[in-house]
């Protein structure tokens, strides 16, 4: 077997390993998305009582009057946040940072729901989101402007430029490290 044939065989094996890794990763992500209805309806296992006592904790809900209502409210906030995190960590488009705005919004709503059972959930969330939006929205606009500047300078289509700006596939952990 010639050196060129061995090299070709190594490349094929490398592609097969990458394809297998991609299939496994895709299967895990699809499974995480597919179980969301089951995760959402976990709130139905919470009793409809003002004080919920378990062997791990005790939760009293003076504002809602029912632990079931709090669980239902949290399920309506946690599941979209969960799906947004999956989208954020798997998205390879140049605009994926804009997903941080709804992530921050849902995180704030969950915090308020858990922190203070006496206030309305959605009070003042826009004021909290303004600093986050002040950073993310101009950043996305600047990236968009760079794309259109390149379109005017180079004879490439929008799809080719978007392909250029796509984030290279990384593992979940390396993507997390990129932000912290």
């Amino acid at each position: 077997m010639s050196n060129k044939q061995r090299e070709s065989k190594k490349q094929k094996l490398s592609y097969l390993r990458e394809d297998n890794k991609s299939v496994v990763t895709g299967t895990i992500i699809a499974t995480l998305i597919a179980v969301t209805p089951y995760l959402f309806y976990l709130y139905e296992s919470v009793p409809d009582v003002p004080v919920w006592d378990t062997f791990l904790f005790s939760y009293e809900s003076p504002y809602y009057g029912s632990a079931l209502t709090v669980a239902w409210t949290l399920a309506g906030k946690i599941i979209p946040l969960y799906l947004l995190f999956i989208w954020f960590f798997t998205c390879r488009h140049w605009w994926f940072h804009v997903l941080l705005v709804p992530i921050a919004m849902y995180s704030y709503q969950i915090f308020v729901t858990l922190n203070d059972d006496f206030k309305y959930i959605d009070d003042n969330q826009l004021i909290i989101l303004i600093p986050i939006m002040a950073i993310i929205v101009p950043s996305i606009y600047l990236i968009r402007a760079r794309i259109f500047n390149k379109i005017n300078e180079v004879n490439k289509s929008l799809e080719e430029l978007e392909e250029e700006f796509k984030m290279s596939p990384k593992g979940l952990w390396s993507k997390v490290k990129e932000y912290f």
Side-chain angles (χ1 to χ4, degrees):
M1 188 184 295
S2 74
N3 201 18
K4 205 173 201 181
Q5 288 174 330
R6 275 187 244 142
E7 202 55 42
S8 175
K9 193 173 184 176
K10 281 183 183 179
Q11 283 180 344
K12 286 179 185 177
L13 287 173
S14 173
Y15 289 136
L16 285 175
R17 282 190 209 112
E18 287 177 20
D19 284 346
N20 286 341
K21 185 178 177 184
S22 175
V23 167
V24 169
T25 304
T27 302
I28 291 170
I29 291 169
T31 304
L32 290 173
I33 293 170
V35 299
T36 55
Y38 299 108
L39 294 175
F40 178 78
Y41 285 107
L42 281 176
Y43 79 87
E44 290 182 346
S45 65
V46 177
D48 192 8
V49 294
V51 179
W52 181 30
D53 288 317
T54 69
F55 70 95
L56 294 174
F57 61 87
S58 178
Y59 183 79
E60 182 178 355
S61 179
Y63 177 73
Y64 291 101
S66 169
L68 177 64
T69 306
V70 174
W72 175 75
T73 305
L74 286 174
K77 308 289 184 196
I78 291 172
I79 296 302
L81 181 64
Y82 168 76
L83 292 170
L84 282 166
F85 272 121
I86 291 173
W87 189 9
F88 180 78
F89 286 115
T90 58
C91 186
R92 291 177 27 199
H93 293 285
W94 59 270
W95 49 263
F96 77 100
H97 288 94
V98 80
L99 294 172
L100 291 171
V101 173
I103 286 172
M105 179 186 73
Y106 278 110
S107 299
Y108 174 75
Q109 289 176 353
I110 291 167
F111 172 76
V112 169
T113 302
L114 291 174
N115 185 43
D116 196 357
D117 209 28
F118 298 108
K119 288 187 175 183
Y120 293 105
I121 295 171
D122 297 329
D123 279 355
N124 301 324
Q125 85 179 19
L126 190 57
I127 293 170
I128 302 295
L129 287 176
I130 286 174
I132 296 167
M133 291 171 57
I135 295 168
I136 293 172
V137 171
S139 301
I140 298 301
Y141 182 77
L142 289 174
I143 292 172
R144 182 182 174 276
R146 272 189 17 191
I147 289 173
F148 284 105
N149 281 342
K150 282 201 170 200
I151 286 175
N152 291 335
E153 293 172 7
V154 183
N155 291 332
K156 287 186 178 181
S157 71
L158 187 59
E159 288 81 18
E160 291 170 333
L161 284 171
E162 189 168 315
E163 226 13 77
E164 238 181 75
F165 280 103
K166 274 189 179 176
M167 302 297 156
S168 60
K170 298 178 182 176
L172 175 67
W173 186 245
S174 61
K175 219 167 185 185
V176 170
K177 281 184 177 179
E178 186 178 305
Y179 294 102
F180 299 105

